[in-house]
């Protein structure tokens, strides 16, 4: 390892030549846990950035309560951040941590159950006071009573050491204490040989208007680093080599960030102004925040009075020629369904982003779930089909946003993009694309009449469809001679006038469905990951389960079994060959973070006996658990000699 | 980007529309000729059969609007009429402009997105008392406070017509309808009070049958920069016939109508017998002209920044329509939302023109070599 020390600070070398060994690891899972006010998310994000710039592959899982500040020191107030980083390609934030940093007794109590025996606990011993212990029901101090004997425990007075490090800064005790997360980050940075310049730069940038706070945080960060280097409490530091990655330029990115950038890119590649109408909602608000910073790209963001106005304004902007976008979570989609119907009827481009969270109703605002799929598919009155797509990883949210915009603009339809809380807040390294390689999304506005009246006068028929795509022409207000009226009442074919004619309604209903179905010809065939090509069992998923399912499939293959992984980007319509692909397998397993919504669609559509495996714990699947489930299916399907069938 | 000469300039220098939209408009002009602004009432009509009940007040309003709009000198192509749901909301189908007949109560929200992203357009909302004040109440008040450049025509017939005769949020207490056989219980909104309470920059009221008065209020509303609300009393001859007869009847109308003329004293009634003066609590009251000194009579000032005067004016009238001010209550200048939004975009572009490659890369990248 080279150049990992922070800039030279007096006392940074180990006194007395303390011998420290370095252990090489291929992967580590660290979980930082503390009070919601302890800055665990910030600490986690900084450690992630350091790790990303070091070149490890990584995956993160922030997990925090819906309350901004639950009562201090209580179990409901615990906020955590899990980071998995490795010297190889990884797909999940890790099933269980190897290291748990507990900033108080509540954090220990809430997270210890997930830490396998022998795992490392680093605890802030200053916070293990009788009062704090009592708050979470510890009768005695677990750091001292032997109850943690099954784990390695390093009790460190993080708070008092932070105060000591900052005693000359003139900051009050309360203010100085707040830097203990940076002390902790410094300690971890030493333990795992993380580069530190990025964090110093970040702190200088973040607190540029409060230089004394910046200085205090940097001092605490360095003190933590130096403490690691000098203390006897930590005899070992760890080295995790960079992961081999395809050549290119990388950055660390979260799902919400990637989605927002994808929308900006879509507007640029379409040559259209982006208009976002949105109402704040967890976990989607960060997309609104991010897009509101990109006005220089012609992006207009409108914080509406409610979810309905969010989609309404976006649809109004689409009528005017913008790429209309609205972002929300499930409860917001409920409110938007009426306007979604109008978007289906008026056949205007619109991107609707649903960052799913636990439901129903207010549900679990900060936890992840995939339970809005059927709402996206069918949650409107009447036959109101629309395309539904889903990203598979945080970085993939960028491509999914571009694809949603592509379909919306080409087919003049609302498109539902289903992200979720795990993708939204999770982060991973992302290969920065070249702008020239992004798809061309340019559109043709209608500028002249496309029909004629009985007497031969040219006229504009707003519902005369493109024979290939079945999309209707998009003539924006201001275009000469193209005045027309659209709305929610049934349209007469071609003219778009109000029509109550039975045959016309039947025709239009089928045309709207055919338009969406026809998109199947414009999307890639089903992507099947089956290295041997002879698997008898396939696992199919969609959305953020890609990582855990992929990791489970790798485990299964390492055990000598064969399994195929199919992960869907497009759910409405499905890829044209999906039915044939599924029928090739003896068994199809569908893990979902709902009660079997994709499985229901697949079974209904293809009459394939899809086996649903579900979980709604507000957390991603654990790869090991998924692997066990699929392995059972494989072993009960193919009594192969190598593994010994169970039946 | 300069504004195309083909785009009607609504007095909003500095704003520009997107190049591709501008190009489409220029292309359409190239193939079909310049957009016409010298128009007549018949040019505003469509080939669609008007389907309101015979005798409906909506016909009168439609005719007045079709006759008036050409005087604005705006091309039909640059006008958009957005409506919600209800009898009045069929309006766009009968206007040879761009239009959207949307969903119940949401027209102000849809129009906001359109007007905010296309400041070059003249955007109108047509709505009713149920549409705007019941199901769409939230959108209405927020549109008004935001001051997006658009004109909202609220047809108030004090009844639900399209659903066949239930009481509405402007029906008088005790209204006997299909849904209230023993009389309605809830207190009505006064739309003008509501709009002034939401800090609307322009609020007016007119009568469907008063072509001259309606046209004058519409003219001022159309010229106003920002959100303008015009309440139009409209007779529903099927479910609430004669609702405004007290004000329409030549024998009672002058007695109960307070005409609002900017700069003129508020004197009304036969022979100017009645007038408006200040009361002891900072509000307004009706007085007999010959009982007060001329200097006590309030001179109407629609431009007062403080909305309490316009609010006090709106409170003079009772549920049974006695002492109803008609005309422009309030017309004040404030920056419009769409203009400020365009300015922010312009400022951001000037500060750092968007570089997509740089945006995607962000601040912290690392490179993996082959």
């Amino acid at each position: 390892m080279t150049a990992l020390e922070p800039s030279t600070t007096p006392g940074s070398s180990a006194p007395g030549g303390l011998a420290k060994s370095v252990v090489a690891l291929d992967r580590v899972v660290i979980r930082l846990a503390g009070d919601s006010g302890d800055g665990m998310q910030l600490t986690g994000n900084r450690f992630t950035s350091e790790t990303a710039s070091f070149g490890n592959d990584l995956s993160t899982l922030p997990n925090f309560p819906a309350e901004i500040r639950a009562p201090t020191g209580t179990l409901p107030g615990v906020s955590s951040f899990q980071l998995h980083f490795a010297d190889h390609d990884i797909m999940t934030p890790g099933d269980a941590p190897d290291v748990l940093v507990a900033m108080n007794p509540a954090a220990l109590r809430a997270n210890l159950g997930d830490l396998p025996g022998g795992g490392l606990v680093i605890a802030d011993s200053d916070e293990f006071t009788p009062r704090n212990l009592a708050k979470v029901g510890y009768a005695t101090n677990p750091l001292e009573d032997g109850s943690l004997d099954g784990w390695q425990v390093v009790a460190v007075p993080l708070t008092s050491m932070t105060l000591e490090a900052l005693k000359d800064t003139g900051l009050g005790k309360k203010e100085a204490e707040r830097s203990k997360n940076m002390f902790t980050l410094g300690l971890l940075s030493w333990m795992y040989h993380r580069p530190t310049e990025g964090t110093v730069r970040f702190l200088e940038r973040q607190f540029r208007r409060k230089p004394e706070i910046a200085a205090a945080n940097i001092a605490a960060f360095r003190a933590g680093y130096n403490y690691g280097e000098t203390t006897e409490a930590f005899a070992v530091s760890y080295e995790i080599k960079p992961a081999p990655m395809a050549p290119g330029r990388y950055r660390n990115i979260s799902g919400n960030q990637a989605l927002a950038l994808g929308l900006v890119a879509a507007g640029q590649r379409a040559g259209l102004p982006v208009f976002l109408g949105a109402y704040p909602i967890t976990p989607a608000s960060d997309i609104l925040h991010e897009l509101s910073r990109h006005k220089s790209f012609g992006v207009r963001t409108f914080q509406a009075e409610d979810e309905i106005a969010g989609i309404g304004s976006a649809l109004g902007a689409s009528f005017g020629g913008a790429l209309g976008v609205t972002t929300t979570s499930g409860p917001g989609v409920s409110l938007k369904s009426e306007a979604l119907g109008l978007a289906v009827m008026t056949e205007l481009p619109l991107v609707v982003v649903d960052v799913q969270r636990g439901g129903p109703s207010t549900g679990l605002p900060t936890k992840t779930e995939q339970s809005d799929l059927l709402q996206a598919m069918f949650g409107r009155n009447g036959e109101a089909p629309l395309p539904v797509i889903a990203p598979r990883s945080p970085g993939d949210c960028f491509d999914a946003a571009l694809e949603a915009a592509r379909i919306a603009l080409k087919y003049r339809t609302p498109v539902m993009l289903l992200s979720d809380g795990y993708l939204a807040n999770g982060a991973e390294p992302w290969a920065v694309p070249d702008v020239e390689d992004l798809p061309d999304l340019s559109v043709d506005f209608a500028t002249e009449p496309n029909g004629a009246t009985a007497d031969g006068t040219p006229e504009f028929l707003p519902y005369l469809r493109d024979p290939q795509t079945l999309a209707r022409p998009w003539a924006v207000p201001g275009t000469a001679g193209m005045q027309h009226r659209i709305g929610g009442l049934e349209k007469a074919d071609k003219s778009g006038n109000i029509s109550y004619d039975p045959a016309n309604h039947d025709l239009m209903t089928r045309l709207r469905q055919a338009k969406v179905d026809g998109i199947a010809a414009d999307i890639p065939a089903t992507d099947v990951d089956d290295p041997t090509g002879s698997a008898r069992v396939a696992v199919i998923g969609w959305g953020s389960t890609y990582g855990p399912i992929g990791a489970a499939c790798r485990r299964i293959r390492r055990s000598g079994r064969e399994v195929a992984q199919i992960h869907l980007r497009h759910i409405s319509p499905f890829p044209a060959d999906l039915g044939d692909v599924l029928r090739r397998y003896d068994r199809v397993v569908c893990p979902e973070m709902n009660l079997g919504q994709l499985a229901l669609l697949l079974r209904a559509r293809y009459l394939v006996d899809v086996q649903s495996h579900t979980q709604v714990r507000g957390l991603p699947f654990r790869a090991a658990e998924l692997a066990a489930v699929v392995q059972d299916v494989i072993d009960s399907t193919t009594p192969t000699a190598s593994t010994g069938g169970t039946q | 980007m300069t504004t195309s000469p083909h785009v009607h300039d609504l007095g909003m220098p500095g704003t520009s529309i997107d190049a591709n939209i501008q190009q489409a408009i220029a292309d359409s002009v190239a193939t079909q000729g310049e957009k016409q602004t010298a128009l007549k009432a018949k040019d505003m009509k469509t080939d669609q059969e008007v389907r309101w009940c015979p005798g409906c007040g909506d016909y009168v309003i439609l005719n007045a609007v079709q006759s008036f709009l050409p005087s604005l000198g705006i091309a039909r192509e640059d006008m958009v009429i957005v409506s919600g749901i209800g009898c009045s909301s069929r309006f766009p189908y009968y206007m040879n402009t761009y239009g959207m007949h949307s969903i119940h109560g949401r027209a102000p929200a849809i129009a906001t997105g359109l007007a905010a992203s296309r400041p070059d357009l003249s955007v109108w909302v047509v709505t009713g008392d149920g549409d705007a004040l019941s199901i769409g109440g939230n959108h209405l008040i927020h549109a008004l406070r935001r001051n997006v450049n658009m004109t909202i025509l609220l047809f108030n017939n004090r009844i639900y017509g399209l659903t066949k005769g239930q009481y509405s949020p402007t029906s008088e207490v005790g209204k006997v309808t299909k849904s209230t056989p023993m009389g309605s219980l809830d207190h009505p909104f006064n739309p003008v009070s509501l709009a002034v309470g939401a800090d609307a920059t322009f609020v007016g009221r007119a009568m469907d049958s008063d072509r001259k008065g309606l046209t004058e209020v519409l003219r001022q509303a159309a010229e106003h920069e920002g959100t303008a609300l015009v309440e139009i009393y409209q007779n529903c001859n099927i479910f609430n016939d004669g609702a405004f007869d007290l004000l329409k009847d030549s024998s009672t109308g002058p007695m109960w109508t307070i005409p609002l003329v900017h700069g003129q004293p508020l004197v009304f009634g036969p022979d100017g017998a009645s007038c408006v003066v200040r009361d002891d609590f900072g509000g307004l009251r009706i007085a007999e002209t010959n009982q007060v000194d001329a200097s006590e009579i309030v001179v109407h000032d629609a431009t007062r920044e403080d909305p309490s005067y316009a609010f006090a004016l709106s409170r003079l009238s009772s549920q049974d329509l006695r002492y109803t001010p008609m005309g422009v209550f309030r017309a004040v200048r404030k920056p419009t939302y769409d203009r400020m939004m365009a300015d922010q975009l312009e400022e951001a572009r000037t500060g750092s023109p968007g570089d997509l490659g740089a945006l995607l890369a962000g601040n912290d990248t690392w490179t993996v070599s082959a």
Side-chain angles (χ1 to χ4, degrees):
Chain A
M1 303 311 303
T2 54
L4 291 178
E5 282 75 22
S7 62
T8 49
T9 313
S12 69
S13 61
L18 184 65
K20 297 258 185 178
S21 59
V22 176
V23 172
L25 297 174
D26 63 341
R27 52 179 283 271
V28 178
V29 179
I30 296 178
R31 185 182 295 178
L32 305 164
D35 217 45
S36 338
D38 281 344
M40 290 298 97
Q41 301 304 319
L42 173 71
T43 312
N45 280 319
R46 282 317 314 162
F47 196 83
T48 303
S49 289
E50 291 179 0
T51 296
S53 66
F54 180 70
N56 292 125
D57 195 12
L58 66 89
S59 173
T60 70
L61 175 63
N63 191 4
F64 45 87
E67 293 75 17
I68 303 303
R69 292 278 165 90
T72 311
T74 61
L75 289 171
V78 173
S79 166
S80 72
F81 188 102
Q82 185 163 310
L83 168 68
H84 182 189
F85 59 105
D87 66 0
H88 56 277
D89 170 27
I90 54 169
M91 304 187 77
T92 75
D95 286 1
D98 304 305
V99 180
L100 170 65
V101 178
M103 301 300 283
N104 64 11
L108 180 69
R109 173 134 250 180
N111 290 284
L112 188 64
D114 293 337
L115 187 71
L120 175 64
V121 177
I122 300 172
D124 182 358
S125 54
D126 290 329
E127 290 292 319
F128 283 67
T129 60
R131 190 177 133 79
N132 284 351
L133 291 166
K135 273 187 193 171
V136 293
Y138 278 126
T140 55
N141 188 345
L143 301 180
E144 295 161 359
D145 64 8
S147 61
L148 301 180
D149 283 355
W151 292 274
Q152 311 168 54
V153 179
V154 183
V156 183
L158 293 169
T159 306
S160 48
M161 281 197 297
T162 304
L163 289 177
E164 177 65 19
L166 301 186
K167 67 175 189 289
D168 297 331
T169 58
L171 287 184
K173 178 167 178 284
K174 238 190 155 98
E175 225 159 15
E177 256 186 40
R178 295 180 54 154
S179 296
K180 69 184 173 190
N181 63 333
M182 286 300 118
F183 186 97
T184 311
L185 179 63
L187 173 59
L188 291 170
S189 300
W190 169 80
M191 271 181 79
Y192 293 100
H193 298 206
R194 301 292 94 182
T196 56
E197 310 81 25
T199 294
V200 172
R201 270 204 311 274
F202 166 83
L203 290 169
E204 284 167 353
R205 210 166 48 227
Q206 191 75 2
F207 298 108
R208 66 180 176 280
R209 288 195 189 84
K210 292 180 182 166
E212 70 284 1
I213 302 286
N217 275 300
I218 293 167
F221 176 61
R222 288 191 169 140
Y225 192 101
N226 295 339
Y227 168 73
E229 204 164 55
T230 54
T231 182
E232 295 183 26
F234 293 95
V236 182
S237 66
Y238 302 92
E239 184 182 43
I240 296 93
K241 289 202 160 57
M245 291 191 192
R249 196 157 54 130
Y250 287 83
R251 66 174 284 184
N252 182 46
I253 202 160
S254 75
N256 273 349
Q257 252 180 335
L259 216 157
L261 295 188
L263 292 169
V264 175
Q268 295 289 300
R269 298 299 288 172
L272 298 180
V274 173
F275 183 98
L276 172 73
Y279 186 75
I281 186 169
T282 303
S285 301
D286 281 340
I287 304 173
L288 166 63
H289 304 161
E290 180 72 27
L291 282 175
S292 66
R293 297 172 51 228
H294 302 310
K295 294 179 170 50
S296 60
F297 293 89
V299 176
R300 287 179 172 82
T301 54
F302 172 64
Q303 185 176 313
E305 59 270 22
D306 58 26
E307 295 281 359
I308 300 168
I311 187 172
S313 60
L315 190 63
S318 285
F319 185 46
L323 171 58
V325 181
T326 189
T327 51
T328 188
S329 186
V333 177
S334 299
L335 288 163
K336 293 181 197 296
S337 38
E338 182 197 30
L340 268 171
L342 180 66
V344 168
M345 202 66 157
T346 53
E347 303 192 40
L348 286 168
L350 183 71
V351 174
V352 181
V353 176
D354 174 3
V355 185
Q356 300 166 96
R357 65 191 216 186
S361 188
T362 313
L364 302 171
T366 59
K367 311 295 178 194
T368 196
E369 207 163 282
Q370 298 182 293
S371 46
D372 297 347
L373 176 58
L374 294 182
Q375 180 188 33
M377 292 290 297
F378 306 116
R380 293 163 293 283
N381 62 306
E383 295 286 349
L386 50 76
V388 179
I389 70 167
R392 57 170 59 176
S393 72
D396 189 45
C397 289
F398 178 83
D399 294 322
L402 278 164
E403 176 65 354
R406 180 188 77 87
I407 295 174
L409 292 168
K410 183 169 177 183
Y411 293 89
R412 315 277 148 82
T413 175
V415 174
M416 186 79 85
L417 192 168
L418 294 178
S419 178
D420 65 29
Y422 167 50
L423 295 178
N425 294 315
E428 66 175 355
W430 179 59
V432 179
D434 275 334
V435 171
E436 296 72 37
D437 296 341
L438 300 177
D440 176 6
L441 304 183
S442 55
V443 297
D444 284 323
F445 290 121
T447 58
E448 44 190 310
N450 53 357
T453 57
D455 67 1
T457 314
E459 67 170 338
F460 175 54
L461 300 169
Y463 279 77
L464 182 65
R465 293 167 192 280
D466 179 289
Q468 226 78 62
T469 61
L470 297 181
R472 74 176 192 88
W474 190 7
V476 299
T479 314
M482 305 285 274
Q483 305 95 288
H484 63 282
R485 276 67 53 192
I486 56 175
L489 284 170
E490 182 60 285
K491 304 279 163 290
D493 184 31
K494 302 184 180 64
S495 77
N497 291 328
I498 299 172
S499 169
Y500 303 120
D501 177 64
N504 178 74
H505 178 56
D506 191 84
L507 172 72
M508 294 297 277
T509 302
R510 291 173 199 282
L511 274 173
R512 286 186 287 265
Q513 183 69 52
K515 180 174 83 167
V516 173
D517 292 346
I519 298 169
D522 190 24
I523 60 177
T526 308
D527 179 24
V528 181
D529 175 29
D530 179 6
T532 59
S534 53
R536 308 304 314 146
V537 173
V539 187
I540 185 166
W542 66 281
S544 74
T545 52
Y546 175 70
I549 295 174
C553 288
R554 288 181 183 178
R555 278 169 184 260
I556 292 164
R557 288 168 192 152
R558 278 201 298 271
S559 76
R561 296 172 177 85
E562 293 177 320
V563 66
Q565 184 186 4
I566 300 167
H567 210 78
L568 298 176
R569 150 85 80 227
H570 299 91
I571 302 160
S572 169
F574 286 129
D577 64 341
L578 182 60
D580 293 337
V581 169
L582 294 180
R583 283 184 209 101
R584 273 187 232 148
Y585 296 92
D586 294 337
R587 306 275 288 274
V588 177
V589 183
C590 180
E592 289 181 89
M593 295 187 290
N594 57 43
L595 297 187
Q597 300 191 9
L598 176 64
L600 179 79
L601 294 176
L602 294 172
R603 293 174 72 102
R605 176 74 191 269
Y606 300 117
L607 296 177
V608 169
D609 187 15
V610 174
Q611 182 179 333
S612 189
H613 175 72
T614 64
Q615 162 190 304
V616 280
R617 300 171 63 245
L619 291 164
F621 280 106
R622 292 192 172 114
E625 287 172 11
L626 268 187
V629 168
V630 177
Q631 244 163 252
D632 281 350
V633 173
I634 294 170
D635 294 346
S636 63
T637 305
T638 49
T640 50
S642 62
T643 55
T646 52
Q647 288 173 16
Chain B
M1 199 184 303
T2 55
T3 304
S4 155
H6 308 302
V7 176
H8 183 77
D9 180 5
L10 291 171
M12 307 191 68
T15 63
S16 59
I17 55 172
D18 180 80
N20 285 323
I21 296 172
Q22 201 172 340
Q23 189 58 50
I25 293 169
D27 289 350
S28 70
V29 168
T31 57
Q32 292 168 83
E34 289 290 335
K35 293 185 271 191
Q36 297 303 306
T37 53
L39 300 165
K40 296 208 165 55
K42 68 172 173 51
D43 299 319
M44 305 310 295
K45 299 182 196 299
T46 64
D47 60 357
Q48 299 295 294
E49 181 195 357
V50 183
R51 289 187 194 160
W52 286 309
C53 308
C56 178
D58 287 352
Y59 284 97
V60 191
I61 302 172
L62 179 63
N63 286 334
V65 171
Q66 286 173 337
S67 302
F68 153 74
L69 280 183
S71 71
L72 293 176
I74 300 174
R76 295 178 296 191
E77 290 92 336
D78 293 331
M79 291 186 198
V80 187
I81 302 177
V82 183
S83 66
I85 293 293
C87 295
S88 58
S89 288
R90 298 297 177 95
F91 207 87
Y93 291 114
Y94 311 134
M95 297 293 299
N96 195 347
T97 62
Y98 284 89
M100 190 193 290
H101 175 214
S102 73
I103 39 180
H104 210 6
R106 318 303 172 205
I110 292 167
T112 293
L114 178 63
S117 54
R118 291 286 306 275
D120 58 310
L121 299 173
S122 170
V123 178
W124 297 68
V125 168
V126 175
T127 182
D129 42 317
D131 194 52
L133 302 173
S134 228
I135 196 166
N138 198 35
H139 307 303
L140 181 74
I141 57 174
H142 287 279
L144 293 173
R145 78 170 167 89
R146 224 173 252 131
N147 205 33
V148 185
N149 198 16
M150 61 185 175
T151 308
I152 302 173
L153 308 184
L154 194 169
F155 297 11
N156 180 7
N157 57 14
R158 309 185 81 182
I159 200 78
Y160 280 100
L162 200 61
T163 50
K164 301 191 177 177
Q166 299 82 11
Y167 79 112
S168 90
T170 55
S171 295
E172 58 279 17
V173 172
K175 185 88 175 168
V176 174
T177 70
K178 277 184 190 137
S179 60
T180 51
M182 293 174 71
S184 63
L185 302 174
D186 36 338
H187 190 82
F189 269 137
N190 176 326
V192 170
S193 300
L194 184 78
V196 173
D199 256 351
T201 53
F202 184 100
V203 187
R205 179 188 282 148
M207 183 67 76
D208 57 359
S209 54
D210 174 17
R211 168 73 71 102
K212 188 160 163 282
L214 172 58
T215 302
E216 178 54 24
V217 174
L218 289 178
R219 187 184 60 76
Q220 292 190 44
E223 286 170 356
H224 177 74
E225 277 186 33
T227 309
L229 179 95
V230 180
E231 181 191 20
I232 305 172
Y233 285 155
Q234 172 244 323
N235 191 45
C236 172
N237 58 324
I238 304 296
F239 295 109
N240 201 18
D241 196 22
F244 304 102
D245 279 1
L246 186 78
L247 302 176
K248 290 187 179 190
D249 192 289
S250 58
S251 61
T252 55
M255 198 182 302
W256 304 118
T257 303
I258 308 173
L260 301 176
V261 183
H262 182 68
Q264 294 296 313
L266 294 172
V267 175
F268 65 100
D271 304 323
S274 303
C275 64
V276 177
V277 299
R278 292 183 203 293
D279 72 7
D280 298 338
F281 299 95
L284 301 173
R285 66 178 175 86
I286 306 297
E288 288 179 39
T289 310
N290 58 12
Q291 300 293 308
V292 299
D293 189 272
S295 65
E296 293 179 63
I297 300 173
V298 173
V299 174
H300 182 50
D301 181 1
T303 63
R304 282 188 68 86
E305 191 72 29
D306 180 351
S308 36
Y309 163 68
F311 187 79
L313 264 185
S314 75
R315 302 317 291 175
L316 288 171
S317 50
S318 55
Q319 283 184 50
D320 63 9
L321 301 177
R322 286 176 300 161
Y323 302 118
T324 298
M326 301 293 281
V328 176
F329 287 72
R330 176 171 162 82
V332 298
R333 288 183 71 91
K334 267 192 199 169
T336 65
Y337 183 89
D338 40 310
R339 172 69 173 278
M340 291 187 289
M341 190 182 233
D343 285 351
Q344 280 195 345
L345 259 62
E346 201 55 45
E347 187 187 332
R349 273 198 200 104
T350 314
S352 64
D355 174 347
L356 186 58
L359 174 70
L360 300 185
N363 290 328
D364 286 310
T365 59
W366 69 97
T367 301
V368 175
S369 328

